[in-house]
Amino acid sequence: LLICTALVTTAYAARYDVTAYGAKGDGDTKDTAAIQKAVDACADAGGGEVFFPKGVFLSGSIILKSGVILFISPDAVMRGSTNIADYTKGALINAEDIEKTGIEGGGIIDGQGSAFWVKKEKTYSGRAWGASAMGNYIALKRPAFIHFKRCREITMRNIMLTNSPMWTVHLQRCTNVRADNVTIRNHLSGWNTDGFDINSCVDVRITGCDIITGDDAIVLKSSEPGYDHPSRDILAENCRIWTTCSGFKIGTETHDSFENIVFRNSVIYCASDDPLERSFAAIAITSVDGSRINGVTVSNIMISNVKSPFFVRLGHRGGNSERTRQAEPRVPGTIRNVLIADVTALRSMYESWIAGIPGHPVTGITLSNISLEYEGGGGADLPGKAVPDEAVITNMPVVQMFGRLPSYGLYCRHVDNISIHTISLRVLSADARPAFVCDDVKRISLNGFSAAPSTGEFPVAWFMNVRDAALRNCAAPSGTKVFLGAAADDDAFRTISLSGGMENGVTALAKLKPGPLLPADIPLFTEKDGAVFIKADRMKLFAPMGIVTDARAPAGNYIETPLTGGRDNGSAIARFELSSDGEYILRVLAFSPAGESDSFYVSFDGGPQALSDVLVKGTWYWEWARDRVNDKPVPESKMTYRLAKGEHMIKVLNREEGTRIAALVIMKKDGTVDPASLMR
């Protein structure tokens, strides 16, 4: 249970009207000095209300003091200056090392934040799940909005905060905070316009708040290295949230511990048809700077029209920059004892996931009474996709960090001791992927599972490197051939059990060979004259990758994602067979019509994707498979692949729509095969 001290009361007799100290309230005159005089007089007299009557009060930085409550009356607006020079203390409202303070009154505080960012000339045109509305703007040097630092007994209630330039309410190392009936209205495109930043605080209640903002709505942080500033006993409840980032989040900055954290009885939604205005994640729980997260409860949450319902991520940035520098020893943190219960999510765009890092699993996760609905539409190529692991350990944790996942509903990797009680996963349009995938998971209990009918040949659930799993009362959707496919050695396979719920004709549990899940109809190409020649139009294609017939093309046909298909969308897969072990290279017959259509990804056997640039424009030629260095094309960075004798898989993934590919040749690194000769 969350235990908090009594609410702070604010029954002050003294009232200090800012107009009595010279404030004009005409919206043009800067009233900074007059407001500060009223605050100082109130504090010197032992405390009370600094009163804003009807009017618009333009101001730069104000310093609050102990015992002072800013009372913005219902007809009053306190408006931040658009001149950065007027913010001598870095924020519009500043409070440091004080107590018994707050903001209330029913009026409005307007930060005029839109004056501090400008729209980019070239706006985002990639996959909708990969960006937010913020990405179309550039932030200028700007102030923060409201900053309480090392303060005690803070109240905020019955107030509207709007148009924040940055970090609307920043609570830093504060105790005994009460925010009730606070309305936040920020631009969805506003950079860093977090609603509440609860930074290393103890005993905080956020209740009945209505938040629309461009960045995280309610976010818990621990931004300073060291272990003397835990976050503890924090409750957020009965809130309505619309954000383009995360609704409720722990992270990104996570240095000290987080304990007894509760988020409940709330709604996270998007009321726009623009996918860039949808939340990246309704709920995000992350530790990437060594923090110990223990005891988080998320319950009774209604989610609609977001990108992803939730994700849990243990990573390890390890002080890879000054901003993320950890106290010694620089070791990964922990995430333990997380309960996510009674959550319904409708029309989500992207999968939910829980992931630790190798050797450091997320532990003690409970999901209970979860209903997740997704847009679906995933192709049969996605289960064969490599999900990055070691390569992203130091990355900032965001829901899209792994790319699209091999499951449409829930993906778990590097997890120990997860209990799932009653979960429903469904899609609005056909999806070929498994509903549930686990990789390197120990001790999993699943009781009560239902999923959308299968549209492909894959199992409903797919386990890799899983031990000690017990599944009960699982319903096999119509069309299911295999419910659970497990790739494991004999010892591990014997620790997996499934009972109840299977209908006749369904294989409840099948042992699979290690490796990616692949469709059965992928064509096989064999080696001839020391090379494997693959005509691109014979590969297995996944929309919107398609075949274009063109007599001017060297092979007559080529494959291409059309210019309406979007970036990182569409792929082609083939199998091939080698007669001997060795180091191999790849040549691709490619055509780039323009600088915006000149790159593609290549991977072998589900491994890492190399980003190849088509360096010559406007003509067909044999390009090498390369990879970028520091995100720059390097002509010398030709890829070498160590491949064994036998069967392999190659995947070409679109990066920039309009790039054309006619053929591929896989040959020995030291070979002398001329790729063009194989076209004859």
Side-chain angles (χ1 to χ4, degrees):
L1 292 176
L2 189 74
I3 301 174
C4 297
T5 59
L7 287 172
V8 180
T9 59
T10 56
Y12 295 105
R15 171 172 283 185
Y16 297 79
D17 191 321
V18 295
T19 59
Y21 293 84
K24 301 299 182 183
D26 58 14
D28 295 318
T29 304
K30 288 182 182 174
D31 292 324
T32 311
I35 296 169
Q36 191 63 58
K37 286 179 183 178
V39 170
D40 294 345
C42 180
D44 291 344
E49 291 179 353
V50 171
F51 180 76
F52 290 72
K54 182 177 180 179
V56 178
F57 299 87
L58 187 65
S59 181
S61 289
I62 297 298
I63 303 173
L64 284 181
K65 297 187 176 180
S66 288
V68 175
I69 298 293
L70 292 185
F71 191 97
I72 317 295
S73 68
D75 295 322
V77 177
M78 181 181 180
R79 179 171 290 165
S81 169
T82 59
N83 186 348
I84 190 65
D86 292 331
Y87 294 93
T88 56
K89 299 299 179 181
L92 177 60
I93 297 173
N94 302 267
E96 187 169 342
D97 295 312
I98 64 173
E99 61 183 4
K100 296 183 173 67
T101 187
I103 304 169
E104 57 185 72
I108 297 172
I109 303 178
D110 178 359
Q112 297 207 88
S114 55
F116 297 99
W117 55 80
V118 295
K119 193 167 186 177
K120 294 178 180 177
E121 291 184 7
K122 184 179 178 182
T123 56
Y124 181 78
S125 61
R127 294 295 302 277
W129 52 264
S132 78
M134 284 190 295
N136 287 332
Y137 286 78
I138 299 172
L140 307 176
K141 183 177 181 181
R142 63 209 192 282
F145 202 9
I146 300 170
H147 187 188
F148 292 96
K149 185 175 182 180
R150 295 190 301 271
C151 297
R152 301 181 303 280
E153 298 182 54
I154 302 166
T155 59
M156 297 185 69
R157 59 190 177 192
N158 305 326
I159 193 76
M160 176 179 280
L161 310 175
T162 187
N163 206 354
S164 169
M166 182 176 71
W167 286 32
T168 307
V169 180
H170 182 191
L171 304 164
Q172 184 177 8
R173 298 207 192 199
C174 295
T175 59
N176 193 3
V177 179
R178 303 293 180 266
D180 181 56
N181 194 30
V182 175
T183 300
I184 294 176
R185 290 292 182 268
N186 293 329
H187 290 269
L188 291 170
S189 56
W191 273 96
N192 311 119
T193 54
D194 301 2
F196 288 94
D197 286 275
I198 305 169
N199 189 350
S200 301
C201 294
V202 175
D203 188 7
V204 178
R205 282 177 180 257
I206 309 293
T207 59
C209 295
D210 190 337
I211 303 169
I212 299 178
T213 193
D215 213 325
D216 301 324
I218 300 174
V219 53
L220 281 57
K221 299 175 180 285
S222 178
S223 64
E224 302 163 88
Y227 302 106
D228 60 341
H229 48 282
S231 301
R232 185 171 61 244
D233 300 337
I234 297 171
L235 167 67
E237 64 178 352
N238 301 323
C239 295
R240 283 181 56 83
I241 292 169
W242 177 7
T243 170
T244 68
C245 204
S246 297
F248 178 81
K249 180 179 179 181
I250 299 176
T252 297
E253 296 85 355
T254 44
H255 290 279
D256 205 349
S257 62
F258 296 80
E259 300 175 352
N260 196 19
I261 311 299
V262 176
F263 176 55
R264 66 191 181 196
N265 305 337
S266 295
V267 174
I268 302 172
Y269 69 101
C270 169
S272 168
D273 293 330
D274 185 349
L276 297 182
E277 294 182 345
R278 297 166 75 163
S279 300
F280 269 127
I283 300 155
I285 300 169
T286 71
S287 169
V288 291
D289 298 317
S291 68
R292 300 169 300 281
I293 297 176
N294 187 9
V296 178
T297 298
V298 175
S299 63
N300 194 24
I301 308 298
M302 182 66 200
I303 301 166
S304 63
N305 203 31
V306 303
K307 290 189 172 94
S308 174
F310 65 83
F311 75 96
V312 179
R313 171 62 170 171
L314 173 63
H316 181 44
R317 297 196 293 191
N320 57 5
S321 71
E322 285 297 325
R323 187 172 61 86
T324 66
R325 189 167 299 282
Q326 291 180 223
E328 298 294 346
R330 297 183 191 177
V331 296
T334 56
I335 298 179
R336 302 176 184 273
N337 302 320
V338 174
L339 169 64
I340 301 175
D342 302 311
V343 172
T344 297
L346 302 177
R347 300 183 305 279
S348 297
M349 181 183 292
Y350 192 86
E351 307 82 45
S352 297
W353 53 266
I354 301 168
I357 56 179
H360 297 271
V362 173
T363 63
I365 304 295
T366 300
L367 306 179
S368 179
N369 194 23
I370 306 294
S371 178
L372 305 179
E373 177 188 80
Y374 297 92
E375 291 181 354
D381 60 325
L382 289 174
K385 167 186 176 296
V387 180
D389 201 352
E390 285 87 349
V392 295
I393 286 175
T394 63
N395 285 22
M396 180 176 178
V398 290
V399 71
Q400 74 274 28
M401 66 185 297
F402 299 126
R404 298 313 299 258
L405 292 168
S407 58
Y408 74 71
L410 179 62
Y411 175 80
C412 298
R413 183 173 64 184
H414 309 313
V415 179
D416 185 5
N417 188 16
I418 177 170
S419 297
I420 303 174
H421 309 286
T422 311
I423 186 169
S424 170
L425 305 172
R426 60 188 184 275
V427 291
L428 295 173
S429 61
D431 200 298
R433 293 173 289 175
F436 181 34
V437 172
C438 290
D439 183 3
D440 185 27
V441 175
K442 298 179 179 64
R443 295 190 293 165
I444 175 172
S445 173
L446 175 58
N447 188 352
F449 175 95
S450 63
S454 174
T455 62
E457 58 200 85
F458 300 134
V460 176
W462 177 28
F463 285 3
M464 297 168 284
N465 307 308
V466 172
R467 296 186 66 93
D468 300 319
L471 287 73
R472 300 180 298 279
N473 302 317
C474 297
S478 61
T480 298
K481 298 177 182 177
V482 175
F483 181 82
L484 172 60
D489 60 33
D490 291 341
D491 288 341
F493 189 77
R494 282 191 286 268
T495 70
I496 300 171
S497 64
L498 193 154
S499 59
M502 295 297 105
E503 298 179 357
N504 292 335
V506 176
T507 300
L509 174 61
K511 186 175 180 181
L512 305 179
K513 68 178 183 179
L517 282 181
L518 299 172
D521 58 346
I522 297 178
L524 175 66
F525 296 84
T526 57
E527 184 179 342
K528 183 179 180 181
D529 299 327
V532 177
F533 175 76
I534 299 174
K535 198 166 181 289
D537 63 355
R538 291 184 54 206
M539 300 176 76
K540 171 76 172 179
L541 303 186
F542 298 92
M545 187 76 82
I547 299 172
V548 177
T549 299
D550 186 347
R552 296 168 298 176
N557 295 335
Y558 58 83
I559 63 172
E560 172 192 15
T561 292
L563 292 177
T564 56
R567 291 171 63 102
D568 303 327
N569 196 15
S571 61
I573 295 178
R575 296 178 297 145
F576 63 95
E577 198 167 36
L578 298 175
S579 61
S580 61
D581 300 349
E583 290 187 332
Y584 288 83
I585 58 173
L586 173 67
R587 303 290 298 274
V588 179
L589 184 57
F591 182 97
S592 167
E596 295 300 315
S597 303
D598 64 348
S599 60
F600 57 90
Y601 297 101
V602 172
S603 68
F604 283 87
D605 298 328
Q609 295 175 163
L611 173 53
S612 293
D613 290 272
V614 184
L615 300 182
V616 178
K617 307 297 187 292
T619 186
W620 286 98
Y621 82 109
W622 285 96
E623 180 59 275
W624 298 80
R626 311 172 190 273
D627 202 5
R628 288 190 175 184
V629 178
N630 297 323
D631 201 34
K632 300 291 183 183
V634 177
E636 295 77 19
S637 62
K638 300 168 185 175
M639 297 296 294
T640 299
Y641 299 93
R642 183 72 187 179
L643 300 175
K645 176 183 177 180
E647 186 178 306
H648 298 273
M649 182 195 75
I650 183 171
K651 179 177 182 180
V652 178
L653 174 68
N654 167 66
R655 179 175 184 264
E656 293 183 308
E657 52 191 345
T659 305
R660 305 170 188 175
I661 294 174
L664 304 93
V665 172
I666 303 157
M667 56 188 178
K668 285 283 185 69
K669 181 181 179 181
D670 56 359
T672 59
V673 175
D674 176 10
S677 68
L678 302 176
M679 296 290 294
R680 303 186 188 105

